[in-house]
Amino acid sequence: MATTAQERRGEPQQSGGGLPGAIAAEWTKLWGLRSTWLCLGVAVLLTGGTALLASLALQANGTADGMTANALGYTSTLLSQFAMVAAASLLITGEYATGAVRTTLTTVPARARVVLAKVAVLAVTSFATGCVAGAAVIAGAAAVVGDVMEFEAAHVLHEIAGTGGYFLGISLFTLGLGLLVRSTAGTLSIAFGVLLAIPSISQIVGNETVTAFVDHTPPMTGASLMSGATEPYGWGTGALLLAAWAALALAAGYTALARRDA
């Protein structure tokens, strides 16, 4: 039986390039999709566009005086966040839809490595996109009411880094959901419910218990990151809560991936 030169030398065989190789492969796959460019472009443009329209409304009402650079952060991401969610979902559910996940798991049999690679690639991409979107909010508002806005360093930092952190958190949360349910429609439905439907329903219901729960869901944690508010908790606590939601979803998704066949 023939043996390779590597085996004869007694050297360990390498497979898949390790984690760096898996990250490189995921990076190539992510940016090789037209949907990635489309979703990220929409996320930035829609965020900035919403800020522009909101600024025009505030100017028309005469209520823009003294507006801070991060005043429109949360409002501006209400719709655009779903473009980021779609990109995050397709990173895994698109592979299940086409059957490409089998190739991925054949190339990189260690499923933990697959998940870590996707997390690394998505984390960098979503945070950078969020930061650009946050800058677009400031630019859009400044184009309309820049002469009466306040541009303190803390406000600018919360808007840019806070939006980046929020997009990062919801993207990893969505990735975990995608690993768990394997369906684009199912993943988007759950994400829509958590990010928009439940907070909206809580405002209608007006129940204190429901409101207290919603205050600790991803949208409200993101609001604390972007606004820098101290109530009901500070941005540091908000970051930890958002990280906990993402970690919980990823843990559930990895468990499902590890226990089920592709």
Side-chain angles (χ1 to χ4, degrees):
M1 181 177 180
T3 58
T4 65
Q6 187 179 49
E7 289 174 329
R8 288 195 296 269
R9 291 194 302 266
E11 296 176 4
Q13 295 185 17
Q14 301 297 320
S15 175
L19 182 58
I23 291 175
E26 292 298 335
W27 184 267
T28 300
K29 286 190 290 183
L30 176 67
W31 292 105
L33 296 173
R34 293 180 183 176
S35 59
T36 298
W37 295 92
L38 176 62
C39 289
L40 301 189
V42 168
V44 172
L45 293 176
L46 188 56
T47 304
T50 302
L52 180 66
L53 293 175
S55 298
L56 288 170
L58 291 174
Q59 184 184 55
N61 294 331
T63 56
D65 290 352
M67 186 177 77
T68 61
N70 62 335
L72 298 176
Y74 176 70
T75 301
S76 299
T77 60
L78 283 175
L79 293 178
S80 63
Q81 62 183 330
F82 292 107
M84 192 69 248
V85 163
S89 173
L90 290 172
L91 181 61
I92 180 61
T93 60
E95 290 195 33
Y96 277 111
T98 61
V101 68
R102 296 186 182 90
T103 303
T104 297
L105 295 178
T106 299
T107 305
V108 187
R111 301 194 176 194
R113 189 185 302 165
V114 172
V115 175
L116 286 175
K118 289 183 180 295
V119 166
V121 168
L122 185 59
V124 172
T125 301
S126 58
F127 181 76
T129 302
C131 287
V132 175
V137 170
I138 297 175
V144 179
V145 294
D147 55 331
V148 296
M149 282 180 65
E150 297 180 5
F151 293 94
E152 293 184 10
H155 297 154
V156 173
L157 182 61
H158 275 294
E159 179 55 50
I160 295 177
T163 305
Y166 180 56
F167 275 20
L168 167 60
I170 62 173
S171 294
L172 296 185
F173 174 71
T174 302
L175 176 62
L177 292 179
L179 288 166
L180 181 63
V181 303
R182 301 183 173 189
S183 161
T184 301
T187 300
L188 295 179
S189 296
I190 296 173
F192 180 83
V194 173
L195 299 177
L196 189 61
I198 293 178
S200 299
I201 293 173
S202 72
Q203 294 181 353
I204 299 173
V205 173
N207 181 274
E208 291 185 3
T209 302
V210 175
T211 300
F213 169 75
V214 170
D215 283 343
H216 294 80
T217 56
M220 299 301 104
T221 63
S224 71
L225 289 177
M226 291 180 274
S227 68
T230 57
E231 294 294 337
Y233 44 75
W235 67 268
T237 301
L240 291 175
L241 287 170
L242 184 57
W245 278 93
L248 181 63
L250 286 170
Y254 170 70
T255 300
L257 179 67
R259 294 184 177 182
R260 298 187 302 204
D261 293 331

